[in-house]
Amino acid sequence: MRATVCLPTYNEIENLEEMVRALGAVLREGDRVLVVDDASPDGTGELADRLAAELAYVSVLHRAEKQGLGPAYIAGFRRALADGAELVLEMDCDFSHDPAAVPTLIAAAENRADLVLGSRYVKGGSIPNWGAVRRFISLGGNIYAQIWLGSGLRDLTGGFKCFRARVLETVDLDAIGSKGYAFQIETTYRVLQAGFKVVEVPISFSDREHGHSKMSKAIVAEAIWKVPLLRLQALTGRL
Ligand SMILES: Nc1nc2c(ncn2[C@@H]2O[C@H](COP(=O)(O)OP(=O)(O)OP(=O)(O)O)[C@@H](O)[C@H]2O)c(=O)[nH]1
Ligand SMILES: [Mg+2]
């Protein structure tokens, strides 16, 4: 199945080239990388254009302004589907997600799942560089989502995923309003509610070494109020 890796970028000039080349080394004939850049002021978009000119498997979607991760992914999904992708992957461009794990996610989607989640919290998953406080916050967020949504999945906030195209064609992408962490929770929850099979595979999650995090208090706040709202929408049949 032909796969497209969507790579959202905002000021990732120090990471983009290495990431794109590392993906090129693990992808198969016909697989693609789609960089989705929100007009990064540091020149990431121009670098992406140079890479696309050099490497046949790379294309770039330029967006006019920074609108958050969710809208960037939705635009990337639409482009990937229009270009004929049969599998669509999400991953960060900061090396938190190991490009060498991409074939594992693809294989799991091809074998036995409609959506594969790279999971830090199943057996074999790990976060080597995190101290107790970050672990506690991340685990707490997952337990909070688990209590409200009861999905049975261990890692709902991660952003290393592989969708079968038919999943993205079935769920209403226009209805997904989340921008940050909530986007990850919302997409997976909608996919589950639509009756698709979701599988977790263990990943090792590393901290970024170059560039800066775009995490903000607003992103955390959005996840806190959005999760109960998703449950309410599901209960009232409006998801
Ligand atoms: N196109 C686009 N990409 C974004 C936006 N915000 C974040 N990204 C990208 O999304 C990926 C994840 O963002 P990070 O800043 O690493 O956020 P995070 O991984 O949740 O937080 P950290 O754990 O602190 O790194 C990176 O590749 C970012 O460049 C955005 O508004 N638009
Ligand atoms: Mg990150």
Side-chain angles (χ1 to χ4, degrees), residues 63-134:
R63 290 160 47 79
E65 56 176 8
K66 180 165 166 35
Q67 291 185 336
L69 199 61
Y73 267 130
I74 301 285
F77 294 165
R78 288 193 199 288
R79 171 65 65 85
L81 293 174
D83 290 347
E86 294 162 285
L87 299 173
V88 180
L89 289 97
E90 283 184 17
M91 73 185 285
D92 293 354
C93 189
D94 59 0
F95 284 91
S96 287
H97 302 141
D98 181 358
V102 163
T104 312
L105 269 74
I106 290 177
E110 286 180 336
N111 288 339
R112 58 196 168 101
D114 298 308
L115 167 59
V116 179
L117 308 180
S119 177
R120 298 162 287 185
Y121 302 122
V122 291
K123 192 172 183 305
S126 62
I127 315 172
N129 335 108
W130 277 12
V133 174
R134 280 212 65 187

Side-chain angles (χ1 to χ4, degrees), residues 12 92-97 205-208 212-214:
E12 298 290 357
D92 293 354
C93 189
D94 59 0
F95 284 91
S96 287
H97 302 141
F205 181 96
S206 316
D207 271 338
R208 68 157 71 235
H212 299 286
S213 171
K214 284 99 214 172

Side-chain angles (χ1 to χ4, degrees), residues 74-221:
I74 301 285
F77 294 165
R78 288 193 199 288
R79 171 65 65 85
L81 293 174
D83 290 347
E86 294 162 285
L87 299 173
V88 180
L89 289 97
E90 283 184 17
M91 73 185 285
D92 293 354
C93 189
D94 59 0
F95 284 91
S96 287
H97 302 141
D98 181 358
V102 163
T104 312
L105 269 74
I106 290 177
E110 286 180 336
N111 288 339
R112 58 196 168 101
D114 298 308
L115 167 59
V116 179
L117 308 180
S119 177
R120 298 162 287 185
Y121 302 122
V122 291
K123 192 172 183 305
S126 62
I127 315 172
N129 335 108
W130 277 12
V133 174
R134 280 212 65 187
R135 273 173 212 275
F136 181 76
I137 292 169
S138 175
L139 259 174
N142 271 290
I143 291 168
Y144 176 78
Q146 189 58 41
I147 288 168
W148 279 104
L149 305 178
S151 69
L153 296 164
R154 305 294 295 269
D155 193 347
L156 280 173
T157 52
F160 197 9
K161 303 187 185 183
C162 180
F163 300 84
R164 285 201 181 208
R166 65 160 185 256
V167 172
L168 296 176
E169 283 157 0
T170 304
V171 298
D172 183 3
L173 296 178
D174 285 326
I176 300 176
S178 308
K179 300 203 183 310
Y181 281 135
F183 174 78
Q184 305 301 355
I185 303 170
E186 180 170 3
T187 48
T188 298
Y189 191 56
R190 284 180 184 274
V191 170
L192 278 173
Q193 291 289 316
F196 289 109
K197 183 173 175 187
V198 183
V199 162
E200 291 182 277
V201 299
I203 57 158
S204 174
F205 181 96
S206 316
D207 271 338
R208 68 157 71 235
E209 284 177 14
H210 304 289
H212 299 286
S213 171
K214 284 99 214 172
M215 254 276 287
S216 66
K217 288 198 183 101
I219 285 175
V220 176

Side-chain angles (χ1 to χ4, degrees), residues 25-39:
V26 297
L27 291 176
R28 307 152 306 176
E29 188 74 37
D31 292 340
R32 304 198 56 78
V33 173
L34 174 61
V35 180
V36 185
D37 185 69
D38 280 7

